[in-house]
């Protein structure tokens, strides 16, 4: 991936260093996650989800492209395993490695072709029956650029300094359906200055 992408996220994360804010979106899924499950988080950011899970007795492998993000996770989640991971490259894991994958606000920055490749990698490293829990931009997220900027593809724009994809029902079924059975719902996140319209997704891997 281009160096500029890493620079973009390092600079973005530096703005919020020291702020661990989780909103409990994973709470409703904890009943089906076992304490000994192998959990992978993609795009872990500063450690919001890692901290949430660690406080509840779960352990994950936290991954991100940004060194700033990984340093934050190291500081706020002592003992957690971290790894630098570029989502646009093949994942450095064997097939069927994980019971659970978490991808919070990290899967909506890519072209149609690349999004499909990432979903294929997620499916590959998930065990049969494994779960993906994700949140992505909604097409209703006008506070954060939906339908604005330069259109690159359907529901995909260059806006606010970077490429962003915004998902509708068709997109959810198109991309996440490749993994297996998926269910989804609209949600609002209030962690930012402006409310963010999201789609929450649970996909169960079928092989």
């Amino acid at each position: 991936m281009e160096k500029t992408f890493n620079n973009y996220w390092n600079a973005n994360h530096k703005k919020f260093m020291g702020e661990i804010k989780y909103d409990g979106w994973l709470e409703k899924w904890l009943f089906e996650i076992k304490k000994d499950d192998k959990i992978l988080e993609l795009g872990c950011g500063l450690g919001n989800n890692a901290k949430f899970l660690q406080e509840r007795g779960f352990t994950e492998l936290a991954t991100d492209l940004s060194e700033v993000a990984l340093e934050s996770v190291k500081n706020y989640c002592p003992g957690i395993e971290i790894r630098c991971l570029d989502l646009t490259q093949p994942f450095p894991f064997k097939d069927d490695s994980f019971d659970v994958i978490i991808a919070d606000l990290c899967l909506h920055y890519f072209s149609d072709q690349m999004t499909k490749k990432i979903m294929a990698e997620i499916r590959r490293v998930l065990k049969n029956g494994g779960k993906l829990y994700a949140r992505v931009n909604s097409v209703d997220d006008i506070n954060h650029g939906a339908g604005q900027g330069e259109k690159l593809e359907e529901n995909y724009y260059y806006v606010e300094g970077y490429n962003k994809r915004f998902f509708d029902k068709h997109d959810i079924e198109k991309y996440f359906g490749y993994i297996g059975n998926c269910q989804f719902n609209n949600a609002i996140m209030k962690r930012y200055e402006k409310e963010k319209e999201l789609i929450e997704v649970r996909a169960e891997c079928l092989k």
Side-chain angles (χ1 to χ4, degrees):
M1 182 175 289
E2 295 181 2
K3 183 71 173 178
T4 52
F5 187 61
N6 194 21
N7 291 344
Y8 173 89
W9 282 109
N10 277 335
N12 187 68
H13 289 312
K14 283 180 181 178
K15 297 177 185 176
F16 303 100
M17 281 293 287
E19 296 185 23
I20 298 296
K21 296 181 179 179
Y22 49 71
D23 50 16
W25 74 283
L26 288 171
E27 187 79 48
K28 58 183 168 295
W29 303 121
L30 292 184
F31 77 95
E32 61 182 15
I33 304 176
K34 303 180 184 68
K35 292 294 175 65
D36 61 349
D37 277 348
K38 293 193 66 176
I39 303 173
L40 169 67
E41 183 172 8
L42 305 175
C44 63
L46 297 177
N48 299 312
N49 296 311
K51 185 69 172 176
F52 175 83
L53 290 172
Q54 188 180 58
E55 289 178 347
R56 287 153 181 79
F58 297 93
T59 301
E60 69 167 47
L61 168 58
T63 67
D64 204 288
L65 181 66
S66 166
E67 298 92 347
V68 173
L70 294 176
E71 186 64 26
S72 175
V73 175
K74 182 179 179 180
N75 291 336
Y76 287 99
C77 305
I80 196 169
E81 184 179 359
I82 59 174
R83 180 181 290 194
C84 185
L85 180 66
D86 183 345
L87 292 178
T88 68
Q89 300 301 313
F91 294 178
F93 308 115
K94 295 180 180 179
D95 296 358
D96 309 316
S97 292
F98 297 97
D99 302 285
V100 173
I101 293 180
I102 296 167
D104 188 17
L105 308 180
C106 68
L107 297 178
H108 48 221
Y109 296 104
F110 307 100
S111 67
D112 172 76
Q113 182 179 20
M114 183 54 66
T115 303
K116 290 175 180 176
K117 288 183 178 179
I118 293 170
M119 293 297 176
E121 281 297 280
I122 290 173
R123 183 178 185 275
R124 180 182 68 79
V125 303
L126 264 178
K127 297 176 182 179
N128 186 40
K131 312 295 192 306
L132 167 67
Y133 305 108
R135 293 197 293 188
V136 292
N137 295 329
S138 165
V139 291
D140 297 321
D141 191 24
I142 58 175
N143 285 338
H144 297 272
Q148 303 166 35
E150 177 187 356
K151 186 175 182 179
L152 304 175
E153 296 176 354
E154 186 66 24
N155 292 336
Y156 187 49
Y157 299 85
Y158 180 80
V159 59
E160 298 179 345
Y162 203 71
N163 301 343
K164 292 185 179 182
R165 178 171 297 282
F166 299 87
F167 288 71
D168 58 19
K169 177 182 177 180
H170 170 75
D171 294 326
I172 296 296
E173 294 172 343
K174 173 183 176 181
Y175 296 114
F176 289 91
Y178 179 76
I179 295 170
N181 292 331
C182 66
Q183 58 191 84
F184 54 92
N185 60 273
N186 295 320
I188 296 177
M189 186 177 74
K190 299 182 179 181
R191 204 168 73 202
Y192 301 142
E193 183 178 345
K194 296 180 180 179
E195 289 188 350
K196 183 172 184 60
E197 298 274 354
L198 301 166
I199 298 179
E200 297 180 345
V201 185
R202 173 194 180 275
E204 182 172 352
C205 185
L206 296 178
K207 296 183 178 181

